[in-house]
Amino acid sequence: QVQLVESGGGLVQPGGSLRLSCAASRITFSIYAMGWYRQAPGKQRELVAAITNTGRTNYLHSVKGRFTISRDNAKNTVYLQMNGLKPEDTAVYYCNAAYDGLDYWGKGTLVTVSS
């Protein structure tokens, strides 16, 4: 059974940083496009950042210049470095793996930005 396990969430003050990790198992990780989504209370889930199997990235406009997505195929892990965090970044962050119609999700990790 495919597993995506997120870690690294927590409580951080505005302006602070966090690095999220998503470890994948039982998939050929290197061929998958990987993404980080988030869902805030009362809002729809939105794509925050994505990275293709070739390393091309794209970002939600509001996080450009603050967040960086990266992947380590040797470790079957995708990361989201989040700097300059704002209260509006508060959400549950989900990892996604997608390839050729296959779509897998992690259970999420909560990020709370508050003073």
Side-chain angles (χ1 to χ4, degrees), residues 21-72:
S21 300
C22 171
S25 58
R26 300 185 180 89
I27 61 171
T28 307
F29 181 80
S30 61
I31 67 174
Y32 278 74
M34 301 299 298
W36 286 98
Y37 289 72
R38 68 186 181 188
Q39 187 166 19
K43 295 188 176 181
Q44 290 191 331
R45 191 173 295 190
E46 62 182 356
L47 176 64
V48 176
I51 185 167
T52 68
N53 61 334
T54 60
R56 190 172 71 244
T57 59
N58 68 283
Y59 296 92
L60 180 69
H61 179 74
S62 62
V63 308
K64 281 183 180 178
R66 298 189 297 123
F67 291 10
T68 303
I69 189 170
S70 61
R71 64 190 297 160
D72 185 336

